[in-house]
């Protein structure tokens, strides 16, 4: 898959750790985030904008966004049509974000989980599939809401 990734200043170290892990896989990674050696404080919506735009437009299959908690990135990313972003804090939410919500963007908090946990969650999120059936129908209802609000 083609995966866009970005982080703000709070998430830049975890981002490089996740990129190192993705380098061991067959996925193609596009890094749109803050350089690891930068000491500049930046605004997370600017980075959510870039990654969510890539996913929303279909230029990337998935997105990974990292900030202090994952929350701000998630709020911003979910403004984009066809983006289903989820903050993931444990194995269960990592799996459910795919199984029930078909989440195409994962949001991680560098201040809430350690590096190894983050990798574990990314692995689960990359390999788990949406369970289809009633779960697909519910995801489609989200798309219908988007179309109604932003025709
Ligand atoms: C930056 O201090 C912090 O607010 C940001 O990384 C993120 O946690 C926002 O949701």
């Amino acid at each position: 898959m083609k995966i866009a990734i970005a982080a703000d200043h709070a998430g830049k170290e975890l981002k490089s750790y996740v990129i190192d892990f993705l380098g061991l896989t067959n996925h193609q990674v596009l890094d749109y985030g803050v350089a690891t050696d930068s000491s500049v404080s930046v605004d997370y919506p600017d980075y959510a904008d870039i990654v969510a735009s890539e996913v929303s437009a279909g230029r990337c299959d998935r997105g990974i966004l990292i900030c202090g908690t994952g929350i701000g990135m998630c709020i911003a990313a979910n403004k984009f049509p066809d983006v289903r972003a989820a903050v993931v804090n444990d194995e269960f939410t990592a799996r459910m974000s795919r199984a029930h919500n078909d989440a195409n963007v994962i949001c991680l908090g560098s201040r809430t989980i350690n590096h190894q946990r983050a990798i574990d969650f990314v692995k689960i999120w990359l390999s788990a599939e949406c369970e289809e059936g009633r779960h697909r129908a519910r995801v489609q209802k989200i798309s219908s809401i988007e179309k109604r609000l932003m025709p």
Side-chain angles (χ1 to χ4, degrees), residues 20 48 65 69 72 77 112 120-121 147:
D20 286 348
L65 288 166
T69 58
T112 59
D120 291 345
F121 304 159
K147 287 188 179 70

Side-chain angles (χ1 to χ4, degrees), residues 21-36:
F21 159 70
L22 291 171
L24 304 173
T25 72
N26 291 326
H27 299 295
Q28 184 186 348
V29 183
L30 292 114
D31 180 7
Y32 294 107
V34 174
T36 312

Side-chain angles (χ1 to χ4, degrees), residues 14-133:
L14 177 54
K15 177 180 65 103
S16 70
Y17 200 81
V18 172
I19 288 173
D20 286 348
F21 159 70
L22 291 171
L24 304 173
T25 72
N26 291 326
H27 299 295
Q28 184 186 348
V29 183
L30 292 114
D31 180 7
Y32 294 107
V34 174
T36 312
D37 60 359
S38 168
S39 56
V40 178
S41 177
V42 299
D43 300 330
Y44 61 82
D46 295 336
Y47 294 87
D49 187 345
I50 298 167
V51 166
S53 293
E54 291 301 298
V55 175
S56 183
R59 290 188 293 271
C60 286
D61 305 295
R62 300 278 189 96
I64 300 176
L65 288 166
I66 307 170
C67 61
T69 58
I71 295 171
M73 289 290 200
C74 191
I75 292 170
N78 277 317
K79 301 295 179 192
F80 288 76
D82 299 320
V83 168
R84 294 174 299 280
V87 180
V88 163
N89 279 311
D90 53 36
E91 286 81 357
F92 184 73
T93 50
R95 195 165 59 254
M96 286 299 112
S97 74
R98 292 287 311 141
H100 287 195
N101 312 115
D102 197 19
N104 50 14
V105 174
I106 188 172
C107 301
L108 301 168
S110 63
R111 295 170 179 160
T112 59
I113 54 173
N114 68 34
H115 289 181
Q116 188 51 54
R117 301 274 293 151
I119 299 303
D120 291 345
F121 304 159
V122 169
K123 275 185 197 165
I124 293 168
W125 172 77
L126 284 173
S127 61
E129 294 293 338
C130 181
E131 283 178 10
E132 304 299 336

